[in-house]
Amino acid sequence: MNVEEFLSTFHDIIPYKFQLKVGGKKANAILPNKEFISYKNRKGKSYLLYRKKLLETTIDYIPLDEVDVPIELTVQCFHPHVLKWEEKSQSTNKERTHFQVRILNENTSRQLGYLSLDLTPAGDIEHKFCTFSNEEGTHKIMQSINYVYDEKTKKVTPIECLSFIFYNLGASLEEEVSFYKENGVLKCVTIHKQPLKNHAFDSIVWSDDEVKEKQEFFSRYCNHAAVENATPLVCDFTNYIINKDFTSRLETIKELARRLSYQGDPLFNHYNYAEIKERIEYLEDPKNDIFSSFYGEYIGNTIIKLRSKWILLVETLKDDYHYFTKVDITNTNAFEVDFYHERKGGKSYYQAMENSDKTPIFRTKMENGEEILVPLGEHITDEESRYFEMFKSYCVESFGTIERKRMATLSLDKYSNGEQGHELIKKKKDNKCQK
């Protein structure tokens, strides 16, 4: 797919903006203070409080998460609309606050947009979810951002998913391109087509059926460095499940080592330390891990539906080269997991992984931000070229191209006709003048 061409069809999206104001008329009395940075107060905001005593006035700095201050959310949309508030807060109230508002067309028959904000007690955005649609409801943009706070570094990392959805009524298809970014860096691109469906009946629990119903599917997760832990926030769920396979052994070893460190502490006498040592020794032996037999360090994976087949490309890194190894996972229920995201059964999947040829089918290297094919031997073979072209056909643009052209960035000026809203307002005013 040519992603750039697909995104160009979203020119009719109706934009809106929002502004969050914390503190009301006393907003100027809120100042940053590094000492107060915490999970509840991401920017260390403090409130100046003047106390008058008999002969002097003292100044106290109080963390904003410990006081009630006014909070206001305003939405600006040039297109004729109606705001329907589902949830609205008046103050921080020392607790988490929430805002939910729907942007409807004038006769309230269609939703043009939706905005949801979850805020910390200090009024910092913890999670943002918003949607933008066109007038007909055939084009939709969805953005979800989690602002993850690290207690050790006291820093916030934004993890974003940006999706472009086209409801192709003529073909009865839903076509979607999603971008996943961590701290502004593109980590995953997912492209799929599936039959039109009513998402009101979507389950919040993952099901392998969600994969099987895809008519076309391509999802590439690339970390550009060794993947140390798996998280569903930075990639499609299919990539996440594969990531767990390659990272769970190391995570288990770390957990067992943590338990082993309690040896000698009477509070943890219930641990069988001999079994723990034996388990660590077993896991540390590469011969006992079918996921450690690939060439190089594991940095990601690509899932492709190729006609009736499901192909997994394991991506590894060695000497600045990206190696791709093919595993046929057709009919292995590779994405069947339980509520805790642990694999259910998986015997046929593990067999496919163990029996696969671990020889890479092609390799690439980044040059000037572009990914180019590099021969595994002295010359590029026809087979290497064929596999690479097949891989590129699902997503023509490389990660570098997508980032350079800011395709994975929500720029509403780019995806909407800026004059559209002003023209509608002008017509509305002219009609009123004629009455």
Side-chain angles (χ1 to χ4, degrees), residues 2-61:
N2 187 313
V3 174
E4 191 169 17
E5 287 183 4
F6 177 76
L7 299 187
S8 69
T9 65
F10 288 75
H11 60 83
D12 55 353
I13 287 294
I14 296 169
Y16 62 85
K17 296 180 180 180
F18 75 89
Q19 183 178 27
L20 184 68
K21 188 174 182 180
V22 180
K25 295 180 180 179
K26 296 183 179 181
N28 291 334
I30 298 175
L31 299 173
N33 189 324
K34 291 183 179 180
E35 294 181 7
F36 296 143
I37 293 178
S38 68
Y39 177 77
K40 295 181 178 181
N41 192 346
R42 311 289 178 83
K43 298 179 181 178
K45 290 180 285 190
S46 63
Y47 191 75
L48 281 177
L49 186 64
Y50 295 90
R51 300 183 188 274
K52 289 187 178 181
K53 295 185 178 180
L54 291 176
L55 300 175
E56 62 178 351
T57 300
T58 60
I59 299 176
D60 286 338
Y61 293 89

Side-chain angles (χ1 to χ4, degrees), residues 1-3 191 370 391-398 401-402:
M1 173 189 265
N2 187 313
V3 174
I191 301 168
E370 291 299 321
F391 173 72
K392 293 292 292 180
S393 68
Y394 286 89
C395 184
V396 174
E397 295 86 355
S398 66
T401 301
I402 290 171

Side-chain angles (χ1 to χ4, degrees), residues 3 159-164 177-182 184-191 217-224 231-240 243 299-303 315 395 397-400 402-403 407-409:
V3 174
I159 299 178
E160 176 185 3
C161 176
L162 180 64
S163 299
F164 295 80
V177 172
S178 296
F179 305 102
Y180 298 81
K181 293 196 295 185
E182 182 178 18
V185 178
L186 183 64
K187 292 294 184 75
C188 179
V189 177
T190 300
I191 301 168
F217 188 85
F218 171 92
S219 187
R220 182 188 182 188
Y221 166 77
C222 181
N223 192 53
H224 306 297
T231 169
L233 295 177
V234 296
C235 57
D236 183 83
F237 209 84
T238 54
N239 304 113
Y240 160 68
N243 283 342
I299 62 171
N301 68 82
T302 299
I303 315 294
E315 188 168 352
C395 184
E397 295 86 355
S398 66
F399 277 37
I402 290 171
E403 296 210 88
M407 294 185 222
T409 300

Side-chain angles (χ1 to χ4, degrees), residues 27 46 77 148 226 285 341 351 394:
S46 63
C77 178
V148 181
D285 188 344
H341 303 162
Q351 286 179 343
Y394 286 89

Side-chain angles (χ1 to χ4, degrees), residues 98-116:
H98 311 276
F99 287 93
Q100 291 184 48
V101 59
R102 301 181 187 277
I103 298 93
L104 308 176
N105 61 2
E106 276 192 300
N107 61 12
T108 69
S109 63
R110 187 183 296 280
Q111 181 171 295
L112 304 177
Y114 172 78
L115 174 64
S116 173

